[in-house]
Amino acid sequence: MSTSQSVSIFIVEDNVWYGELLEYKLAQNPDYSIRRFTTAQACLDHLVEKPDIITLDYSLPDGQGDQVLRQIRERLPEVAVIVISGQEDVRTAIGLLRQGAFDYLVKDEETVDRLWNTVSNIRKQLTLTRENNRLREQIGQKFSPERAILGESPQIQQLYGLIDKAARTNITVSLSGETGTGKELVAKAIHFRSERREGAFVAVNVAAIPRELIESELFGHEKGAFTGAVNRRIGRFEEAHKGTLFLDEIADLELNLQAKLLRVLQEREVTRVGGNARIPFDARLMVATHRDLGQEVKEGRFREDLYYRLLGLPIMLPPLRERGQDVLVLAQAFLHEFCEQNHMAACQLSSAAQHKLLQYPFPGNVRELKAVMELAAVLADGDTIQPQDLSLRNGAANGTETSNGITNESLRTQMANIVQSYLDAHNGNILQVAAKLQIGKSTIYRMVQNNEVRLR
């Protein structure tokens, strides 16, 4: 089989002189690796080499073109077969093309040039296909559990096993855990390791979409369905066809829309707002929330029937404060990534800085740690992170204490401090800061409106 740059070509032609002519022409491209055969059986015997292209003489001493083509396609369905015939028979050409031949060329004075052009076109397609396969492989490696979710704690090792199990089937996955624990990252790891990895991964943060737009966002709308609907819009369920739909913060979905979502999941079809047509879809569903959905059901804020429909395989992500030494593993990884992206010298954590990180409860979890480490890389003098470079603040005395000793006020204060630091570093560019911190821009706008942060 050829490498990513070369193209392997079999020439099957019983006329030795004509076969040499085709080989001479194609050999002008040094990237073409060519083998020539005079019988169909000789070609079939060497199909284990998996050529990219086969030029096939229609009339061979040991087989007609349609019969040989059928045998080739049965063994190598992806190979491009160009049939070359001495007869200009439209019905024969149509029949061979229907059988899967890439092209049908008639032997005349222009055949060699047409063959050159056809092979060039096939090569362009092969290059594109190989590049797509390479990118898919890279994405799959990037989102392998061990690379996407770093850590060595028992909780993370158990999480790896659940990701692998989820990737083997299309079962609905319900992810839960505190904000910032990496629920979307786990969802992507499952998607890119599943059979649906070639389909789209469509993520929707239910809490970030205005109530009046969420139905259109999920199910789409027809032109004129409401004021401002100047064009038809495809909803996220349709976008995720043959892929995965990830609904984050599912507990924020209003009760009336929960009923519509339940019906969509039961019928496996959507109806766009303002339309009547039922549109089938085939998408795997994953949902996430930082709330206790079971408790939401008890308190009447979430439908019990939808809850059981979404439960599927439940995966609970542990908070960072329960992951022990994983804090240091993640901190060093975030430092390395940030320094590399910003062309900075590699940074290391001092022993005192490591101790400070291990003592801090990280109410914002992995997302907070990432922001703290990136800011530390900017503040550090030299290539070693010291304790004073770590912007960790334990909150105000007036905060309301939770069961784990963390105050609501401390979390809000810490978040505001981090956002303010990033706004200052990026000249108040809210879109850039939202992308860097992986939070919604609406969150930052609200913080500005509430005077928690300022645009200086």
Side-chain angles (χ1 to χ4, degrees), residues 388-422:
Q388 63 268 23
D389 301 321
L390 301 171
S391 300
L392 304 176
R393 297 173 177 83
N394 286 311
N398 294 329
T400 303
E401 190 171 308
T402 63
S403 60
N404 53 31
I406 301 168
T407 65
N408 295 328
E409 184 63 31
S410 70
L411 179 55
R412 288 195 297 271
T413 303
Q414 177 69 10
M415 185 65 175
N417 288 330
I418 293 172
V419 171
Q420 186 66 67
S421 299
Y422 270 72

PDB file of all heavy atoms in Angstrom, residues 388-422:
ATOM      1  N   GLN A 388       3.939  33.443  45.657  1.00  0.00           N
ATOM      2  CA  GLN A 388       3.328  34.761  45.435  1.00  0.00           C
ATOM      3  C   GLN A 388       2.774  34.931  44.025  1.00  0.00           C
ATOM      4  O   GLN A 388       2.013  35.867  43.759  1.00  0.00           O
ATOM      5  CB  GLN A 388       4.340  35.879  45.744  1.00  0.00           C
ATOM      6  CG  GLN A 388       5.576  35.890  44.858  1.00  0.00           C
ATOM      7  CD  GLN A 388       6.732  35.075  45.446  1.00  0.00           C
ATOM      8  OE1 GLN A 388       6.500  34.182  46.261  1.00  0.00           O
ATOM      9  NE2 GLN A 388       7.941  35.416  45.049  1.00  0.00           N
ATOM     10  N   ASP A 389       3.152  34.064  43.097  1.00  0.00           N
ATOM     11  CA  ASP A 389       2.634  34.143  41.723  1.00  0.00           C
ATOM     12  C   ASP A 389       1.262  33.477  41.594  1.00  0.00           C
ATOM     13  O   ASP A 389       0.600  33.630  40.567  1.00  0.00           O
ATOM     14  CB  ASP A 389       3.605  33.447  40.749  1.00  0.00           C
ATOM     15  CG  ASP A 389       4.993  34.064  40.779  1.00  0.00           C
ATOM     16  OD1 ASP A 389       5.077  35.308  40.889  1.00  0.00           O
ATOM     17  OD2 ASP A 389       5.980  33.308  40.690  1.00  0.00           O
ATOM     18  N   LEU A 390       0.853  32.728  42.609  1.00  0.00           N
ATOM     19  CA  LEU A 390      -0.412  31.995  42.572  1.00  0.00           C
ATOM     20  C   LEU A 390      -1.516  32.847  43.192  1.00  0.00           C
ATOM     21  O   LEU A 390      -1.495  33.112  44.394  1.00  0.00           O
ATOM     22  CB  LEU A 390      -0.284  30.671  43.312  1.00  0.00           C
ATOM     23  CG  LEU A 390       0.781  29.706  42.777  1.00  0.00           C
ATOM     24  CD1 LEU A 390       0.954  28.535  43.730  1.00  0.00           C
ATOM     25  CD2 LEU A 390       0.417  29.225  41.383  1.00  0.00           C
ATOM     26  N   SER A 391      -2.459  33.266  42.387  1.00  0.00           N
ATOM     27  CA  SER A 391      -3.548  34.130  42.858  1.00  0.00           C
ATOM     28  C   SER A 391      -4.664  33.293  43.459  1.00  0.00           C
ATOM     29  O   SER A 391      -5.722  33.079  42.855  1.00  0.00           O
ATOM     30  CB  SER A 391      -4.091  34.975  41.689  1.00  0.00           C
ATOM     31  OG  SER A 391      -3.064  35.778  41.147  1.00  0.00           O
ATOM     32  N   LEU A 392      -4.432  32.797  44.662  1.00  0.00           N
ATOM     33  CA  LEU A 392      -5.407  31.973  45.377  1.00  0.00           C
ATOM     34  C   LEU A 392      -5.927  32.767  46.557  1.00  0.00           C
ATOM     35  O   LEU A 392      -5.167  33.142  47.444  1.00  0.00           O
ATOM     36  CB  LEU A 392      -4.759  30.677  45.873  1.00  0.00           C
ATOM     37  CG  LEU A 392      -4.081  29.816  44.802  1.00  0.00           C
ATOM     38  CD1 LEU A 392      -3.412  28.617  45.454  1.00  0.00           C
ATOM     39  CD2 LEU A 392      -5.077  29.361  43.762  1.00  0.00           C
ATOM     40  N   ARG A 393      -7.232  33.019  46.560  1.00  0.00           N
ATOM     41  CA  ARG A 393      -7.826  33.800  47.649  1.00  0.00           C
ATOM     42  C   ARG A 393      -8.935  32.969  48.284  1.00  0.00           C
ATOM     43  O   ARG A 393      -9.805  32.455  47.596  1.00  0.00           O
ATOM     44  CB  ARG A 393      -8.376  35.129  47.127  1.00  0.00           C
ATOM     45  CG  ARG A 393      -7.270  36.010  46.558  1.00  0.00           C
ATOM     46  CD  ARG A 393      -7.837  37.242  45.880  1.00  0.00           C
ATOM     47  NE  ARG A 393      -6.799  38.113  45.393  1.00  0.00           N
ATOM     48  CZ  ARG A 393      -6.172  37.946  44.229  1.00  0.00           C
ATOM     49  NH1 ARG A 393      -6.495  36.933  43.449  1.00  0.00           N
ATOM     50  NH2 ARG A 393      -5.228  38.779  43.854  1.00  0.00           N
ATOM     51  N   ASN A 394      -8.920  32.882  49.584  1.00  0.00           N
ATOM     52  CA  ASN A 394      -9.830  31.986  50.285  1.00  0.00           C
ATOM     53  C   ASN A 394     -11.159  32.599  50.689  1.00  0.00           C
ATOM     54  O   ASN A 394     -11.909  32.035  51.455  1.00  0.00           O
ATOM     55  CB  ASN A 394      -9.140  31.407  51.520  1.00  0.00           C
ATOM     56  CG  ASN A 394      -8.119  30.367  51.133  1.00  0.00           C
ATOM     57  OD1 ASN A 394      -8.414  29.471  50.356  1.00  0.00           O
ATOM     58  ND2 ASN A 394      -6.910  30.498  51.640  1.00  0.00           N
ATOM     59  N   GLY A 395     -11.476  33.787  50.200  1.00  0.00           N
ATOM     60  CA  GLY A 395     -12.819  34.325  50.378  1.00  0.00           C
ATOM     61  C   GLY A 395     -12.974  35.241  51.556  1.00  0.00           C
ATOM     62  O   GLY A 395     -12.073  35.484  52.335  1.00  0.00           O
ATOM     63  N   ALA A 396     -14.181  35.795  51.685  1.00  0.00           N
ATOM     64  CA  ALA A 396     -14.482  36.789  52.709  1.00  0.00           C
ATOM     65  C   ALA A 396     -15.108  36.140  53.916  1.00  0.00           C
ATOM     66  O   ALA A 396     -15.712  35.071  53.870  1.00  0.00           O
ATOM     67  CB  ALA A 396     -15.433  37.845  52.130  1.00  0.00           C
ATOM     68  N   ALA A 397     -15.014  36.826  55.050  1.00  0.00           N
ATOM     69  CA  ALA A 397     -15.528  36.271  56.306  1.00  0.00           C
ATOM     70  C   ALA A 397     -17.040  36.220  56.333  1.00  0.00           C
ATOM     71  O   ALA A 397     -17.631  35.447  57.075  1.00  0.00           O
ATOM     72  CB  ALA A 397     -15.015  37.104  57.473  1.00  0.00           C
ATOM     73  N   ASN A 398     -17.689  37.029  55.505  1.00  0.00           N
ATOM     74  CA  ASN A 398     -19.150  37.101  55.538  1.00  0.00           C
ATOM     75  C   ASN A 398     -19.824  36.089  54.613  1.00  0.00           C
ATOM     76  O   ASN A 398     -21.035  36.113  54.459  1.00  0.00           O
ATOM     77  CB  ASN A 398     -19.619  38.518  55.150  1.00  0.00           C
ATOM     78  CG  ASN A 398     -19.183  39.541  56.186  1.00  0.00           C
ATOM     79  OD1 ASN A 398     -19.071  39.224  57.364  1.00  0.00           O
ATOM     80  ND2 ASN A 398     -18.936  40.766  55.747  1.00  0.00           N
ATOM     81  N   GLY A 399     -19.034  35.239  54.011  1.00  0.00           N
ATOM     82  CA  GLY A 399     -19.622  34.282  53.080  1.00  0.00           C
ATOM     83  C   GLY A 399     -20.440  33.229  53.805  1.00  0.00           C
ATOM     84  O   GLY A 399     -20.289  32.994  54.993  1.00  0.00           O
ATOM     85  N   THR A 400     -21.316  32.594  53.046  1.00  0.00           N
ATOM     86  CA  THR A 400     -22.138  31.515  53.600  1.00  0.00           C
ATOM     87  C   THR A 400     -21.407  30.198  53.426  1.00  0.00           C
ATOM     88  O   THR A 400     -21.108  29.789  52.308  1.00  0.00           O
ATOM     89  CB  THR A 400     -23.498  31.462  52.870  1.00  0.00           C
ATOM     90  OG1 THR A 400     -24.116  32.728  52.987  1.00  0.00           O
ATOM     91  CG2 THR A 400     -24.370  30.385  53.461  1.00  0.00           C
ATOM     92  N   GLU A 401     -21.116  29.512  54.527  1.00  0.00           N
ATOM     93  CA  GLU A 401     -20.315  28.298  54.455  1.00  0.00           C
ATOM     94  C   GLU A 401     -21.131  27.123  53.950  1.00  0.00           C
ATOM     95  O   GLU A 401     -22.286  26.951  54.301  1.00  0.00           O
ATOM     96  CB  GLU A 401     -19.737  27.975  55.830  1.00  0.00           C
ATOM     97  CG  GLU A 401     -18.699  26.851  55.770  1.00  0.00           C
ATOM     98  CD  GLU A 401     -17.973  26.684  57.083  1.00  0.00           C
ATOM     99  OE1 GLU A 401     -17.459  27.677  57.613  1.00  0.00           O
ATOM    100  OE2 GLU A 401     -17.945  25.542  57.576  1.00  0.00           O
ATOM    101  N   THR A 402     -20.497  26.307  53.093  1.00  0.00           N
ATOM    102  CA  THR A 402     -21.127  25.099  52.572  1.00  0.00           C
ATOM    103  C   THR A 402     -20.601  23.900  53.342  1.00  0.00           C
ATOM    104  O   THR A 402     -19.767  24.020  54.230  1.00  0.00           O
ATOM    105  CB  THR A 402     -20.815  24.928  51.069  1.00  0.00           C
ATOM    106  OG1 THR A 402     -19.405  24.773  50.925  1.00  0.00           O
ATOM    107  CG2 THR A 402     -21.265  26.136  50.281  1.00  0.00           C
ATOM    108  N   SER A 403     -21.050  22.695  52.964  1.00  0.00           N
ATOM    109  CA  SER A 403     -20.693  21.491  53.706  1.00  0.00           C
ATOM    110  C   SER A 403     -19.213  21.184  53.657  1.00  0.00           C
ATOM    111  O   SER A 403     -18.681  20.537  54.539  1.00  0.00           O
ATOM    112  CB  SER A 403     -21.483  20.293  53.148  1.00  0.00           C
ATOM    113  OG  SER A 403     -21.182  20.096  51.797  1.00  0.00           O
ATOM    114  N   ASN A 404     -18.504  21.635  52.609  1.00  0.00           N
ATOM    115  CA  ASN A 404     -17.088  21.331  52.514  1.00  0.00           C
ATOM    116  C   ASN A 404     -16.205  22.468  53.012  1.00  0.00           C
ATOM    117  O   ASN A 404     -14.999  22.469  52.797  1.00  0.00           O
ATOM    118  CB  ASN A 404     -16.715  20.979  51.059  1.00  0.00           C
ATOM    119  CG  ASN A 404     -17.168  22.048  50.090  1.00  0.00           C
ATOM    120  OD1 ASN A 404     -17.223  23.216  50.448  1.00  0.00           O
ATOM    121  ND2 ASN A 404     -17.504  21.644  48.869  1.00  0.00           N
ATOM    122  N   GLY A 405     -16.788  23.472  53.662  1.00  0.00           N
ATOM    123  CA  GLY A 405     -16.002  24.545  54.234  1.00  0.00           C
ATOM    124  C   GLY A 405     -15.716  25.682  53.286  1.00  0.00           C
ATOM    125  O   GLY A 405     -15.060  26.655  53.628  1.00  0.00           O
ATOM    126  N   ILE A 406     -16.200  25.596  52.046  1.00  0.00           N
ATOM    127  CA  ILE A 406     -15.978  26.644  51.053  1.00  0.00           C
ATOM    128  C   ILE A 406     -17.160  27.595  51.092  1.00  0.00           C
ATOM    129  O   ILE A 406     -18.302  27.167  51.216  1.00  0.00           O
ATOM    130  CB  ILE A 406     -15.835  26.031  49.644  1.00  0.00           C
ATOM    131  CG1 ILE A 406     -14.655  25.062  49.637  1.00  0.00           C
ATOM    132  CG2 ILE A 406     -15.631  27.112  48.613  1.00  0.00           C
ATOM    133  CD1 ILE A 406     -14.618  24.207  48.400  1.00  0.00           C
ATOM    134  N   THR A 407     -16.943  28.861  50.993  1.00  0.00           N
ATOM    135  CA  THR A 407     -18.030  29.822  51.045  1.00  0.00           C
ATOM    136  C   THR A 407     -18.465  30.214  49.658  1.00  0.00           C
ATOM    137  O   THR A 407     -17.668  30.246  48.719  1.00  0.00           O
ATOM    138  CB  THR A 407     -17.599  31.087  51.803  1.00  0.00           C
ATOM    139  OG1 THR A 407     -16.566  31.732  51.078  1.00  0.00           O
ATOM    140  CG2 THR A 407     -17.104  30.751  53.198  1.00  0.00           C
ATOM    141  N   ASN A 408     -19.761  30.493  49.509  1.00  0.00           N
ATOM    142  CA  ASN A 408     -20.274  30.983  48.235  1.00  0.00           C
ATOM    143  C   ASN A 408     -19.602  32.295  47.866  1.00  0.00           C
ATOM    144  O   ASN A 408     -19.307  32.558  46.710  1.00  0.00           O
ATOM    145  CB  ASN A 408     -21.792  31.177  48.327  1.00  0.00           C
ATOM    146  CG  ASN A 408     -22.513  29.871  48.526  1.00  0.00           C
ATOM    147  OD1 ASN A 408     -22.065  28.839  48.051  1.00  0.00           O
ATOM    148  ND2 ASN A 408     -23.625  29.911  49.242  1.00  0.00           N
ATOM    149  N   GLU A 409     -19.351  33.120  48.899  1.00  0.00           N
ATOM    150  CA  GLU A 409     -18.724  34.406  48.637  1.00  0.00           C
ATOM    151  C   GLU A 409     -17.307  34.232  48.113  1.00  0.00           C
ATOM    152  O   GLU A 409     -16.857  34.939  47.219  1.00  0.00           O
ATOM    153  CB  GLU A 409     -18.710  35.243  49.922  1.00  0.00           C
ATOM    154  CG  GLU A 409     -18.170  36.660  49.742  1.00  0.00           C
ATOM    155  CD  GLU A 409     -19.018  37.480  48.797  1.00  0.00           C
ATOM    156  OE1 GLU A 409     -20.241  37.254  48.734  1.00  0.00           O
ATOM    157  OE2 GLU A 409     -18.442  38.351  48.098  1.00  0.00           O
ATOM    158  N   SER A 410     -16.596  33.231  48.650  1.00  0.00           N
ATOM    159  CA  SER A 410     -15.215  33.027  48.202  1.00  0.00           C
ATOM    160  C   SER A 410     -15.168  32.624  46.743  1.00  0.00           C
ATOM    161  O   SER A 410     -14.284  33.042  45.997  1.00  0.00           O
ATOM    162  CB  SER A 410     -14.529  31.971  49.069  1.00  0.00           C
ATOM    163  OG  SER A 410     -15.055  30.686  48.816  1.00  0.00           O
ATOM    164  N   LEU A 411     -16.098  31.799  46.310  1.00  0.00           N
ATOM    165  CA  LEU A 411     -16.134  31.368  44.919  1.00  0.00           C
ATOM    166  C   LEU A 411     -16.413  32.549  43.998  1.00  0.00           C
ATOM    167  O   LEU A 411     -15.755  32.723  42.975  1.00  0.00           O
ATOM    168  CB  LEU A 411     -17.190  30.283  44.735  1.00  0.00           C
ATOM    169  CG  LEU A 411     -17.371  29.745  43.312  1.00  0.00           C
ATOM    170  CD1 LEU A 411     -16.041  29.250  42.752  1.00  0.00           C
ATOM    171  CD2 LEU A 411     -18.403  28.637  43.283  1.00  0.00           C
ATOM    172  N   ARG A 412     -17.383  33.393  44.371  1.00  0.00           N
ATOM    173  CA  ARG A 412     -17.697  34.561  43.539  1.00  0.00           C
ATOM    174  C   ARG A 412     -16.514  35.518  43.490  1.00  0.00           C
ATOM    175  O   ARG A 412     -16.178  36.064  42.439  1.00  0.00           O
ATOM    176  CB  ARG A 412     -18.942  35.272  44.080  1.00  0.00           C
ATOM    177  CG  ARG A 412     -20.245  34.521  43.851  1.00  0.00           C
ATOM    178  CD  ARG A 412     -21.449  35.420  44.060  1.00  0.00           C
ATOM    179  NE  ARG A 412     -21.536  35.898  45.438  1.00  0.00           N
ATOM    180  CZ  ARG A 412     -22.168  35.243  46.409  1.00  0.00           C
ATOM    181  NH1 ARG A 412     -22.730  34.072  46.159  1.00  0.00           N
ATOM    182  NH2 ARG A 412     -22.214  35.729  47.645  1.00  0.00           N
ATOM    183  N   THR A 413     -15.880  35.721  44.650  1.00  0.00           N
ATOM    184  CA  THR A 413     -14.735  36.626  44.704  1.00  0.00           C
ATOM    185  C   THR A 413     -13.576  36.098  43.882  1.00  0.00           C
ATOM    186  O   THR A 413     -12.928  36.837  43.130  1.00  0.00           O
ATOM    187  CB  THR A 413     -14.286  36.831  46.168  1.00  0.00           C
ATOM    188  OG1 THR A 413     -15.379  37.333  46.922  1.00  0.00           O
ATOM    189  CG2 THR A 413     -13.132  37.809  46.253  1.00  0.00           C
ATOM    190  N   GLN A 414     -13.297  34.813  44.025  1.00  0.00           N
ATOM    191  CA  GLN A 414     -12.208  34.206  43.277  1.00  0.00           C
ATOM    192  C   GLN A 414     -12.462  34.313  41.774  1.00  0.00           C
ATOM    193  O   GLN A 414     -11.563  34.657  41.002  1.00  0.00           O
ATOM    194  CB  GLN A 414     -12.050  32.737  43.683  1.00  0.00           C
ATOM    195  CG  GLN A 414     -10.982  31.973  42.905  1.00  0.00           C
ATOM    196  CD  GLN A 414      -9.583  32.450  43.231  1.00  0.00           C
ATOM    197  OE1 GLN A 414      -9.388  33.217  44.155  1.00  0.00           O
ATOM    198  NE2 GLN A 414      -8.618  31.998  42.463  1.00  0.00           N
ATOM    199  N   MET A 415     -13.690  34.017  41.358  1.00  0.00           N
ATOM    200  CA  MET A 415     -14.034  34.093  39.945  1.00  0.00           C
ATOM    201  C   MET A 415     -13.868  35.522  39.431  1.00  0.00           C
ATOM    202  O   MET A 415     -13.303  35.749  38.347  1.00  0.00           O
ATOM    203  CB  MET A 415     -15.486  33.634  39.748  1.00  0.00           C
ATOM    204  CG  MET A 415     -15.920  33.566  38.288  1.00  0.00           C
ATOM    205  SD  MET A 415     -14.997  32.325  37.375  1.00  0.00           S
ATOM    206  CE  MET A 415     -15.838  32.415  35.789  1.00  0.00           C
ATOM    207  N   ALA A 416     -14.323  36.494  40.218  1.00  0.00           N
ATOM    208  CA  ALA A 416     -14.211  37.890  39.804  1.00  0.00           C
ATOM    209  C   ALA A 416     -12.756  38.306  39.682  1.00  0.00           C
ATOM    210  O   ALA A 416     -12.374  39.027  38.735  1.00  0.00           O
ATOM    211  CB  ALA A 416     -14.943  38.793  40.791  1.00  0.00           C
ATOM    212  N   ASN A 417     -11.921  37.863  40.615  1.00  0.00           N
ATOM    213  CA  ASN A 417     -10.504  38.214  40.560  1.00  0.00           C
ATOM    214  C   ASN A 417      -9.831  37.653  39.308  1.00  0.00           C
ATOM    215  O   ASN A 417      -9.025  38.324  38.662  1.00  0.00           O
ATOM    216  CB  ASN A 417      -9.787  37.694  41.814  1.00  0.00           C
ATOM    217  CG  ASN A 417     -10.147  38.486  43.057  1.00  0.00           C
ATOM    218  OD1 ASN A 417     -10.445  39.683  42.971  1.00  0.00           O
ATOM    219  ND2 ASN A 417     -10.132  37.831  44.207  1.00  0.00           N
ATOM    220  N   ILE A 418     -10.165  36.416  38.981  1.00  0.00           N
ATOM    221  CA  ILE A 418      -9.566  35.792  37.791  1.00  0.00           C
ATOM    222  C   ILE A 418     -10.037  36.498  36.522  1.00  0.00           C
ATOM    223  O   ILE A 418      -9.240  36.834  35.639  1.00  0.00           O
ATOM    224  CB  ILE A 418      -9.922  34.289  37.744  1.00  0.00           C
ATOM    225  CG1 ILE A 418      -9.237  33.551  38.898  1.00  0.00           C
ATOM    226  CG2 ILE A 418      -9.508  33.682  36.409  1.00  0.00           C
ATOM    227  CD1 ILE A 418      -9.670  32.106  39.044  1.00  0.00           C
ATOM    228  N   VAL A 419     -11.353  36.746  36.436  1.00  0.00           N
ATOM    229  CA  VAL A 419     -11.885  37.416  35.251  1.00  0.00           C
ATOM    230  C   VAL A 419     -11.288  38.810  35.114  1.00  0.00           C
ATOM    231  O   VAL A 419     -10.909  39.248  34.016  1.00  0.00           O
ATOM    232  CB  VAL A 419     -13.429  37.481  35.313  1.00  0.00           C
ATOM    233  CG1 VAL A 419     -13.974  38.372  34.196  1.00  0.00           C
ATOM    234  CG2 VAL A 419     -14.024  36.080  35.206  1.00  0.00           C
ATOM    235  N   GLN A 420     -11.167  39.528  36.229  1.00  0.00           N
ATOM    236  CA  GLN A 420     -10.592  40.872  36.177  1.00  0.00           C
ATOM    237  C   GLN A 420      -9.145  40.840  35.676  1.00  0.00           C
ATOM    238  O   GLN A 420      -8.736  41.681  34.861  1.00  0.00           O
ATOM    239  CB  GLN A 420     -10.639  41.526  37.560  1.00  0.00           C
ATOM    240  CG  GLN A 420     -10.201  42.987  37.565  1.00  0.00           C
ATOM    241  CD  GLN A 420     -11.170  43.868  36.796  1.00  0.00           C
ATOM    242  OE1 GLN A 420     -12.298  44.054  37.205  1.00  0.00           O
ATOM    243  NE2 GLN A 420     -10.722  44.408  35.662  1.00  0.00           N
ATOM    244  N   SER A 421      -8.381  39.860  36.149  1.00  0.00           N
ATOM    245  CA  SER A 421      -6.983  39.737  35.704  1.00  0.00           C
ATOM    246  C   SER A 421      -6.904  39.517  34.203  1.00  0.00           C
ATOM    247  O   SER A 421      -6.065  40.105  33.511  1.00  0.00           O
ATOM    248  CB  SER A 421      -6.300  38.580  36.454  1.00  0.00           C
ATOM    249  OG  SER A 421      -6.285  38.805  37.839  1.00  0.00           O
ATOM    250  N   TYR A 422      -7.791  38.692  33.699  1.00  0.00           N
ATOM    251  CA  TYR A 422      -7.774  38.405  32.262  1.00  0.00           C
ATOM    252  C   TYR A 422      -8.277  39.596  31.452  1.00  0.00           C
ATOM    253  O   TYR A 422      -7.776  39.865  30.364  1.00  0.00           O
ATOM    254  CB  TYR A 422      -8.610  37.155  31.965  1.00  0.00           C
ATOM    255  CG  TYR A 422      -7.806  35.878  32.028  1.00  0.00           C
ATOM    256  CD1 TYR A 422      -7.373  35.383  33.257  1.00  0.00           C
ATOM    257  CD2 TYR A 422      -7.465  35.174  30.891  1.00  0.00           C
ATOM    258  CE1 TYR A 422      -6.619  34.229  33.341  1.00  0.00           C
ATOM    259  CE2 TYR A 422      -6.718  34.005  30.955  1.00  0.00           C
ATOM    260  CZ  TYR A 422      -6.297  33.535  32.191  1.00  0.00           C
ATOM    261  OH  TYR A 422      -5.538  32.396  32.255  1.00  0.00           O
TER     262      TYR A 422
END
